[in-house]
mmCIF file of all heavy atoms in Angstrom:
data_model
loop_
_atom_site.group_PDB
_atom_site.id
_atom_site.type_symbol
_atom_site.label_atom_id
_atom_site.label_comp_id
_atom_site.label_asym_id
_atom_site.label_seq_id
_atom_site.Cartn_x
_atom_site.Cartn_y
_atom_site.Cartn_z
ATOM 1 N N ALA A 61 -3.299 5.257 8.108
ATOM 2 C CA ALA A 61 -2.941 5.163 9.519
ATOM 3 C C ALA A 61 -2.718 6.560 10.090
ATOM 4 O O ALA A 61 -2.292 7.480 9.373
ATOM 5 C CB ALA A 61 -1.677 4.321 9.672
ATOM 6 N N ASP A 62 -2.994 6.723 11.363
ATOM 7 C CA ASP A 62 -2.831 8.029 11.998
ATOM 8 C C ASP A 62 -1.408 8.559 11.836
ATOM 9 O O ASP A 62 -1.204 9.769 11.684
ATOM 10 C CB ASP A 62 -3.169 7.931 13.486
ATOM 11 C CG ASP A 62 -4.658 7.762 13.729
ATOM 12 O OD1 ASP A 62 -5.460 8.038 12.814
ATOM 13 O OD2 ASP A 62 -5.028 7.350 14.834
ATOM 14 N N SER A 63 -0.447 7.672 11.839
ATOM 15 C CA SER A 63 0.954 8.089 11.761
ATOM 16 C C SER A 63 1.333 8.683 10.404
ATOM 17 O O SER A 63 2.360 9.354 10.291
ATOM 18 C CB SER A 63 1.872 6.899 12.073
ATOM 19 O OG SER A 63 1.637 5.838 11.168
ATOM 20 N N VAL A 64 0.517 8.424 9.385
ATOM 21 C CA VAL A 64 0.848 8.930 8.041
ATOM 22 C C VAL A 64 -0.223 9.857 7.487
ATOM 23 O O VAL A 64 -0.057 10.408 6.396
ATOM 24 C CB VAL A 64 1.085 7.764 7.054
ATOM 25 C CG1 VAL A 64 2.123 6.798 7.594
ATOM 26 C CG2 VAL A 64 -0.208 7.035 6.714
ATOM 27 N N LYS A 65 -1.314 10.020 8.227
ATOM 28 C CA LYS A 65 -2.421 10.833 7.738
ATOM 29 C C LYS A 65 -1.946 12.255 7.467
ATOM 30 O O LYS A 65 -1.231 12.857 8.270
ATOM 31 C CB LYS A 65 -3.540 10.827 8.777
ATOM 32 C CG LYS A 65 -4.908 11.146 8.239
ATOM 33 C CD LYS A 65 -5.988 10.822 9.257
ATOM 34 C CE LYS A 65 -6.137 9.334 9.467
ATOM 35 N NZ LYS A 65 -7.239 8.992 10.407
ATOM 36 N N GLY A 66 -2.319 12.774 6.295
ATOM 37 C CA GLY A 66 -1.898 14.109 5.902
ATOM 38 C C GLY A 66 -0.566 14.131 5.185
ATOM 39 O O GLY A 66 -0.181 15.163 4.612
ATOM 40 N N ARG A 67 0.153 13.015 5.204
ATOM 41 C CA ARG A 67 1.454 12.942 4.529
ATOM 42 C C ARG A 67 1.445 11.930 3.389
ATOM 43 O O ARG A 67 2.081 12.141 2.369
ATOM 44 C CB ARG A 67 2.548 12.552 5.529
ATOM 45 C CG ARG A 67 2.704 13.517 6.679
ATOM 46 C CD ARG A 67 3.932 13.179 7.529
ATOM 47 N NE ARG A 67 3.848 11.867 8.169
ATOM 48 C CZ ARG A 67 4.733 10.890 7.985
ATOM 49 N NH1 ARG A 67 5.776 11.064 7.194
ATOM 50 N NH2 ARG A 67 4.598 9.732 8.619
ATOM 51 N N PHE A 68 0.752 10.821 3.570
ATOM 52 C CA PHE A 68 0.689 9.751 2.567
ATOM 53 C C PHE A 68 -0.698 9.713 1.941
ATOM 54 O O PHE A 68 -1.706 9.971 2.622
ATOM 55 C CB PHE A 68 0.972 8.390 3.192
ATOM 56 C CG PHE A 68 2.368 8.184 3.716
ATOM 57 C CD1 PHE A 68 3.289 9.211 3.794
ATOM 58 C CD2 PHE A 68 2.760 6.915 4.115
ATOM 59 C CE1 PHE A 68 4.570 9.001 4.278
ATOM 60 C CE2 PHE A 68 4.034 6.683 4.603
ATOM 61 C CZ PHE A 68 4.938 7.735 4.690
ATOM 62 N N THR A 69 -0.752 9.313 0.668
ATOM 63 C CA THR A 69 -2.034 9.162 -0.020
ATOM 64 C C THR A 69 -2.012 7.914 -0.881
ATOM 65 O O THR A 69 -1.103 7.750 -1.707
ATOM 66 C CB THR A 69 -2.337 10.378 -0.906
ATOM 67 O OG1 THR A 69 -2.311 11.571 -0.123
ATOM 68 C CG2 THR A 69 -3.708 10.236 -1.558
ATOM 69 N N ILE A 70 -3.011 7.068 -0.699
ATOM 70 C CA ILE A 70 -3.149 5.873 -1.531
ATOM 71 C C ILE A 70 -4.128 6.162 -2.667
ATOM 72 O O ILE A 70 -5.117 6.885 -2.486
ATOM 73 C CB ILE A 70 -3.619 4.660 -0.693
ATOM 74 C CG1 ILE A 70 -3.529 3.367 -1.498
ATOM 75 C CG2 ILE A 70 -5.022 4.878 -0.133
ATOM 76 C CD1 ILE A 70 -3.759 2.105 -0.672
ATOM 77 N N SER A 71 -3.833 5.586 -3.830
ATOM 78 C CA SER A 71 -4.728 5.736 -4.971
ATOM 79 C C SER A 71 -4.554 4.519 -5.879
ATOM 80 O O SER A 71 -3.610 3.759 -5.714
ATOM 81 C CB SER A 71 -4.425 7.027 -5.739
ATOM 82 O OG SER A 71 -3.109 7.004 -6.257
ATOM 83 N N ARG A 72 -5.471 4.357 -6.822
ATOM 84 C CA ARG A 72 -5.358 3.232 -7.750
ATOM 85 C C ARG A 72 -5.771 3.677 -9.142
ATOM 86 O O ARG A 72 -6.644 4.537 -9.297
ATOM 87 C CB ARG A 72 -6.179 2.042 -7.272
ATOM 88 C CG ARG A 72 -7.664 2.247 -7.164
ATOM 89 C CD ARG A 72 -8.357 1.082 -6.448
ATOM 90 N NE ARG A 72 -8.233 -0.172 -7.173
ATOM 91 C CZ ARG A 72 -8.569 -1.362 -6.681
ATOM 92 N NH1 ARG A 72 -9.048 -1.448 -5.446
ATOM 93 N NH2 ARG A 72 -8.428 -2.459 -7.407
#
Side-chain angles (χ1 to χ4, degrees):
D62 288 343
S63 59
V64 306
K65 203 168 291 183
R67 300 188 297 121
F68 294 8
T69 304
I70 190 171
S71 62
R72 62 190 296 170

